[in-house]
Amino acid sequence: MADQTDDELRERLKAALWFSIGKIVDEESIRRNRNATPQFIGALADLVWDQIGNVATDLESFSRHANRTTVTTDDVLLLARRNQDLHSIIKDIVDKEKAKKLKSKAKGKGRA
Amino acid sequence: MDDEFDETFDFDDDLIALTQVAEAEAAAAAAAQRPPPPRPPPRTPATANNGLQRLQRSFPRAPAASSVSSVSRANAAAAASEFDDLPSDAFDSSPEPTNQSRPSHVPPPRATPRSQGQGQNFRQTTLWGSTVQQASVRPQATNSRLFRADLPPEVPTHHQLNEDELTTWVYPLNLGPIRDYQFSIVNSALFNNTLVALPTGLGKTFIAATVMLNFYRWTKRGKIIFVAPTKPLASQQVKACLDVAGIPRSEATLLTGETAPALREAEWKTKRLFFMTPQTLQNDLSKGYADPKSVVLLVVDEAHRATGDYAYVKVIEFLRRFSQSFRVLALTATPGSSVEGVQDVIDNLGISHVEIRTEESLDIRQYVHSRETRIITLEPSDEMMEVRGLFTKAIQPLVDKLSAQNIYFGRDPMSLTTYGLMKSRNDWLAGAGRHANQGLKFAMFAVFSILQSLAHSIKLLNFHGIKPFYHNLLEFRTSEEEKGGKGSNMRRQVIDDENFKKMMTMIEKWIKLEGFSGHPKLDYLCETLVNHFMDAGEASNTRVIVFSEYRDSAEEIVRVLNSKPLISARVFVGQADSKRSEGMKQKEQIEAIEKFKNGQYNVLVATSIGEEGLDIGQVDLIVCYDASSSPIRMLQRMGRTGRKRAGRIVLLLMKGKEHDKFLEAKDNYAKMQQLICDGDSFNFRHDLSTRIVPRDIKPEVDKRMVEIPIENTQDPSLPEPKKGGARKKASKKKFNMPDGVETGFVKASDFFGKASTKKAPIKFGEYQEINDIAEVPPLEKAILTGAQALEHERRFLSLPQNAADAEIQAIDFGAHQQRTLQSTSLVKHGEKTKKFVKLMKKMGDSQDPFEKYTKPYGETDTSNWQGIPAPVFAPDTDGSDFEHPAGTTAGGHNKKRKAATRISDDGLEEEEEEEAVSPPARNKRNQGKKAPKRKRGKVARNLEEIGDDCTRTSDVEMSDGLDDGADLEDFVVVDDDEDVIGSSGNRRTPGSAAKNKRKEALPAVERPFFEPMVFDSSQDTDEEMPDISELGASSVKKTKHSMPVTAFGAESKEDLSPEPTPRKKKRRHFVADSDDEDDE
């Protein structure tokens, strides 16, 4: 791995993304009885790749703005600020996760 | 999520999945950029190392057997024998006998300073190398040993370490072969705060230089400070250090009180190696020039001074407040004269390890030059006895007064001492005198004070000679006489005493005599020195130092010595002025030493200032004119000789008290050394001695010649900062703040309300996301495996064989789809989407109903009409007929028609012209279109009324007009028909096509949704149209298709359809500019 250049690595990661997107699309097309061309999948993968890049830089700047070095769910929520619906969906998930973590922590404490 | 995202996709439920992927990716990306999550030992990111580290912490020296010095080998043996009664496999799973013989668990050598006897603790081994069991013999020292594991884990140093250099420590070989004691001292001084007590002349400076060199290498920016009590001492060390350690001269600087603060400040910013006096350092630290956190090594020379309030103590105290991570190396020849004193030094400097060698120590014996010490005890001379007798009588009345009060009774007045008097005064005050009346008390105090001043005179008489004694008394007398009758009665009583007067006149007479020496010591001294120089011969560069406690006697000695042959003496005293002589400025002192070194003077008569640190190689004889009660000072004095060759020491002592005192001091000192060597009576400050080098790094020794940078040898002067041209003022005092301190004003209320929330935003028990950081998945997990890659290739990368030519119908996201919100399944539309759709809808509303559904707002074929100026054609109405053909043929939208014409006419010309099509030509066509209309009269006017579609008709005419000249409307329909037939003849069955077209065109008005598009694709497949999907083009086509209808309608019924009106309106609106042009 170490001898790989950045570009190579990027290509491999992209391939992995492409592969999983392809699988998702395939599943979905079976479920919906549609067809998707490989070209579409490729284009979609490229689009998602770009979107991920955007999201990553956004999250990074959000966390830096908050004087953090760790990206937290707060940053993700901020990312979804423009879409109220999406925001509330993510918020629900985050809250549930937090509650779960708390519970397991309390449990752990109780045992100890 | 950004809305471009959900606009582009209708797979709304996929979006969530995608978002999650993106989230994970983003988190991974962000996580990759931040440092690895903080774990307790910061230098080992991999968890696997933690266990190892813990092991190492409990047995700090475990695998470093190679770097264990000879010194700690004794400890190794001790440790090994401690484990002896454990079963042999207690630590090793494999029963190899060799493992046991290796000292695998060696404690740091700090806890047990070795005495010489301890080193004899050899192990007896069997033939196979394992230790012989000796359960009964247990070294006592091991019981008190502390293990590292018992201590709290050390905070890692804040200094920037030089990782590459940390693996080794350099032992310079520049000065010749390794001296074992130096090696072992350096080795422990690197990792412990060490107090090094070495007899003088054994290379303390070398040890300091080596330690400095290594810390210089190990840290990137850490500052190294060498403090010595006086400037001459500090400057003496500069050269020695630079020449041994090879630290670039440009990195070093000598800062003393003489250096201007502004310069010092600048030096602190740039240099790394500082030679200073402690007072200067203290100043710089407290003024904030020096950053206490940047100090990594402090070498303290003459460390026995670090007691009480001395600047050494203050400096260390100051540094400790800000930083725990600095090394102290204390150097001295004489650690102290009492256990308490040494403990004081240890406490003040935070010493955790002591390295003491005496001249008898085995490992240094071979390096010590023999020093012959001769103690000369002298009897007082007759003259002295006489003076003493008279003086005794003179002060006897005072002593009697004391005796009357039961103080100090029955003593010989000649044995009075200042200290003894003070002590008995205090005793009397505390005891009998407490209840005495005030008058008596004052009387007693007066007696005491007079006797105290006279006691000093007695001391001078006894130990230093008659002359200093006389001067002292003369002073006493004159000061009294100056006061006239107002002085103390008792003083007068002494002065007026018959015996006193007699004594004074007697001494006066003696002093006037030639060759009067005044003291047997002086005679003996002269004799000794003359003999010494006679023995050495003229040419020898031998030097002599004479130590005397008082400046008076020192000056007397110089006077006497200079009257002797072969001797040129110089006094060497401190800076303070005395009553009868000026002190020596530092410059003079340095000059005196310089001259002494190069032989202008061969005798230096020094007071205590010459005792410490002076490194003058050729001093072969030391004469102590008086004995100091302090063993430290005696030893320091002796240390001035025997540095490079054997030396001789002559002690001149008066029989009786002085001799006794000396013996006592010597005895004390020997006892002291023993105690310090044992080390049991001291508490070492292990808590203050951080290792600085991370525990898991064990530097190995690297013995090599150190390259001395050329700059060090080139410039022999001291690296003092040059006085800059523009003298800047020293900047304001900066305050050094401890870490994490809050500065500024804080309201009292904040302590209760805000402060608590500020400090503890983390409520206890609440889940903290930060504490629960997701691990970054390994790269291997993210990347496709071989099988997956294959599948990927098969499923998504390679197209099925027929897929390449399989026609996929393009989906047109018509403009109308942007004007309503499409349905969503999981995530509703975002704000941005809604706004966009609203905007598009609004824009669409203002559009022509015809175009509304097919064209995005504003995109028409005429959009760039305005952009292109065509002034050439506008006025040229006559030639327009001839120019039009080019213009019309140029118009891309007329190509079809043109092609149809071509088919019917087979005109080669047009074809050629058509080749020359250029898009900007549209404008010409348009202008050309209108100009002829006017000319053509009714038809043109007619057409104009109908609207632009009619202009198109005229277009057609024009293009045809090339063929037919002025035939106009008659041919319009025919032409059109022909055209339609002709063009459709290419594609479909002729005849029906025209009919079809009209049928299709009509409904297109009512139900304009998809037909135009169908037209587009079918119509354009065989044409050379530039772009199918170009919406502007499609709109043109639409108008084209509706054109026959209007043309038809215009001929049959003018009021056929309501459409033309709005269309015309719109056209006008758009072509307003070009219309103006046309009007010209």
Side-chain angles (χ1 to χ4, degrees), chain A residues 24 48, chain B residues 11-23 826:
Chain A
I24 293 168
V48 171
Chain B
F11 307 98
D12 282 325
D13 39 358
D14 282 352
L15 188 61
I16 290 299
L18 289 173
T19 326
Q20 279 163 354
V21 170
E23 232 171 82
L826 283 181

Side-chain angles (χ1 to χ4, degrees), chain B residues 295 299 459 467 482 540 816 901 913 935 952 998:
Chain B
V295 178
V299 183
K459 194 178 169 188
K467 210 169 170 194
E482 273 166 20
S540 76
H816 59 281
T901 327
E913 276 166 5
K935 246 170 77 179
R952 299 227 182 275
R998 272 178 211 134

Side-chain angles (χ1 to χ4, degrees), chain B residues 914-1049:
Chain B
E914 204 180 331
E915 302 286 325
V917 160
S918 63
R922 273 184 196 180
N923 213 5
K924 298 179 207 163
R925 179 204 64 200
N926 189 38
Q927 288 186 337
K929 246 184 275 170
K930 294 200 174 168
K933 267 180 239 157
R934 251 172 257 147
K935 246 170 77 179
R936 270 178 236 136
K938 56 174 182 186
V939 180
R941 228 167 278 133
N942 247 350
L943 291 172
E944 208 168 11
E945 261 171 36
I946 303 166
D948 263 6
D949 277 352
C950 302
T951 58
R952 299 227 182 275
T953 329
S954 72
D955 247 2
V956 175
E957 285 170 50
M958 297 328 292
S959 62
D960 291 341
L962 185 85
D963 300 335
D964 301 353
D967 309 304
L968 298 171
E969 70 258 40
D970 294 7
F971 286 85
V972 169
V973 177
V974 178
D975 252 4
D976 207 22
D977 274 352
E978 265 178 19
D979 165 46
V980 172
I981 291 162
S983 61
S984 59
N986 282 341
R987 291 157 278 182
R988 312 174 193 177
T989 49
S992 70
K995 228 187 271 171
N996 278 348
K997 260 202 169 171
R998 272 178 211 134
K999 272 179 194 165
E1000 280 161 9
L1002 273 172
V1005 181
E1006 298 156 17
R1007 207 171 42 83
F1009 268 94
F1010 290 109
E1011 272 78 6
M1013 274 177 274
V1014 174
F1015 262 116
D1016 286 347
S1017 49
S1018 59
Q1019 228 182 1
D1020 290 331
T1021 35
D1022 57 333
E1023 296 285 346
E1024 315 134 56
M1025 280 300 289
D1027 197 352
I1028 306 162
S1029 58
E1030 199 186 72
L1031 283 162
S1034 79
S1035 77
V1036 173
K1037 271 157 227 153
K1038 201 212 125 213
T1039 54
K1040 224 189 292 165
H1041 295 306
S1042 60
M1043 177 266 303
V1045 179
T1046 47
F1048 182 70

Side-chain angles (χ1 to χ4, degrees), chain B residues 144-200:
Chain B
S144 59
R145 194 189 315 119
L146 272 169
F147 281 102
R148 251 329 147 194
D150 300 340
L151 302 171
E154 194 178 302
V155 184
T157 181
H158 60 271
H159 296 290
Q160 277 196 321
L161 298 174
N162 224 342
E163 309 282 337
D164 306 339
E165 304 281 3
L166 271 182
T167 51
T168 57
W169 65 272
V170 169
Y171 187 88
L173 296 177
N174 299 23
L175 292 191
I178 295 176
R179 294 184 180 187
D180 279 342
Y181 70 95
Q182 286 181 339
F183 182 87
S184 60
I185 289 173
V186 169
N187 194 21
S188 50
L190 286 172
F191 306 107
N192 299 286
N193 286 352
T194 307
L195 174 65
V196 177
L198 265 185
T200 47

Side-chain angles (χ1 to χ4, degrees), chain B residues 742-803:
Chain B
E742 272 182 51
T743 55
F745 294 100
V746 180
K747 274 193 278 180
S749 56
D750 288 351
F751 281 115
F752 307 103
K754 243 203 274 173
S756 61
T757 54
K758 202 202 260 173
K759 271 191 181 165
I762 302 162
K763 273 181 208 144
F764 190 71
E766 195 175 304
Y767 168 63
Q768 268 303 306
E769 207 182 319
I770 289 287
N771 302 331
D772 191 33
I773 291 167
E775 293 225 353
V776 179
L779 192 64
E780 291 75 22
K781 231 175 159 184
I783 282 176
L784 294 180
T785 62
Q788 279 175 322
L790 278 178
E791 198 188 344
H792 173 61
E793 182 122 346
R794 183 177 59 76
R795 276 174 68 177
F796 305 117
L797 285 184
S798 56
L799 300 173
Q801 294 198 326
N802 53 347

Side-chain angles (χ1 to χ4, degrees), chain B residues 206-333:
Chain B
F206 172 81
I207 291 168
T210 308
V211 175
M212 283 155 83
L213 167 66
N214 283 297
F215 274 94
Y216 178 80
R217 288 169 60 240
W218 285 347
T219 57
K220 283 176 183 159
R221 275 196 276 283
K223 297 208 187 308
I224 296 160
I225 303 175
F226 189 110
V227 276
T230 63
K231 190 194 170 189
L233 285 181
S235 44
Q236 205 178 335
Q237 301 289 356
V238 174
K239 211 174 150 38
C241 282
L242 290 184
D243 287 353
V244 173
I247 299 171
R249 191 174 173 282
S250 52
E251 293 269 20
T253 184
L254 173 68
L255 300 181
T256 60
E258 287 171 14
T259 322
L263 283 175
R264 296 212 301 259
E265 194 184 352
E267 294 289 289
W268 275 108
K269 280 179 191 147
T270 52
K271 303 294 170 80
R272 283 189 60 195
L273 183 57
F274 298 86
F275 293 89
M276 308 187 77
T277 53
Q279 290 82 4
T280 322
L281 177 58
Q282 192 187 349
N283 259 330
D284 285 356
L285 284 172
S286 64
K287 280 189 177 158
Y289 302 155
D291 176 13
K293 289 186 77 94
S294 67
V295 178
V296 72
L297 170 67
L298 183 70
V299 183
V300 181
D301 199 9
E302 310 295 349
H304 54 273
R305 289 183 175 223
T307 53
D309 263 354
Y310 192 65
Y312 281 162
V313 184
K314 299 278 165 195
V315 164
I316 298 261
E317 199 180 293
F318 192 92
L319 288 178
R320 288 235 184 275
R321 255 189 282 161
F322 296 99
S323 153
Q324 290 302 315
S325 195
F326 67 96
R327 170 76 51 248
V328 176
L329 174 61
L331 307 170
T332 180

Side-chain angles (χ1 to χ4, degrees), chain A residues 1 4 9 12-28 31-32 37-41 44 47-49 51-52 54-56 58-60 63-64 68-74 76 79-86 89-90 93-94 97-99 101-102 105 109, chain B residues 1-6 8-23 25-27 29-31 33-35 764-773 779-780 782-784 788-789 791-792 795-800 803-804 808 825-833:
Chain A
M1 286 301 146
Q4 274 181 331
L9 192 63
R12 297 190 64 171
L13 285 172
K14 216 165 171 178
L17 183 70
W18 190 342
F19 181 62
S20 37
I21 286 175
K23 280 206 287 194
I24 293 168
V25 171
D26 280 359
E27 272 169 37
E28 203 57 27
R31 206 159 65 78
R32 294 181 171 226
T37 60
Q39 288 96 325
F40 164 71
I41 293 170
L44 183 61
L47 194 69
V48 171
W49 176 264
Q51 180 73 8
I52 288 173
N54 280 343
V55 165
D58 279 359
L59 287 177
E60 211 183 309
S63 67
R64 197 176 302 136
R68 271 186 274 113
T69 51
T70 315
V71 174
T72 66
T73 46
D74 287 344
V76 181
L79 196 69
R81 70 197 177 284
R82 305 246 201 189
N83 191 328
Q84 201 51 52
D85 197 42
L86 187 62
I89 289 172
I90 296 178
I93 294 171
V94 168
E97 281 295 310
K98 271 191 183 168
K101 281 272 162 66
L102 250 186
K105 211 177 171 189
K109 259 184 195 165
Chain B
M1 227 12 53
D2 281 354
D3 287 273
E4 27 178 316
F5 206 65
D6 41 12
T8 332
F9 293 106
D10 284 338
F11 307 98
D12 282 325
D13 39 358
D14 282 352
L15 188 61
I16 290 299
L18 289 173
T19 326
Q20 279 163 354
V21 170
E23 232 171 82
E25 282 286 328
Q33 293 206 344
R34 69 166 181 253
F764 190 71
E766 195 175 304
Y767 168 63
Q768 268 303 306
E769 207 182 319
I770 289 287
N771 302 331
D772 191 33
I773 291 167
L779 192 64
E780 291 75 22
I783 282 176
L784 294 180
Q788 279 175 322
E791 198 188 344
H792 173 61
R795 276 174 68 177
F796 305 117
L797 285 184
S798 56
L799 300 173
I808 294 130
S825 62
L826 283 181
V827 182
K828 290 188 187 110
H829 289 296
E831 213 125 301
K832 217 169 158 187
T833 320

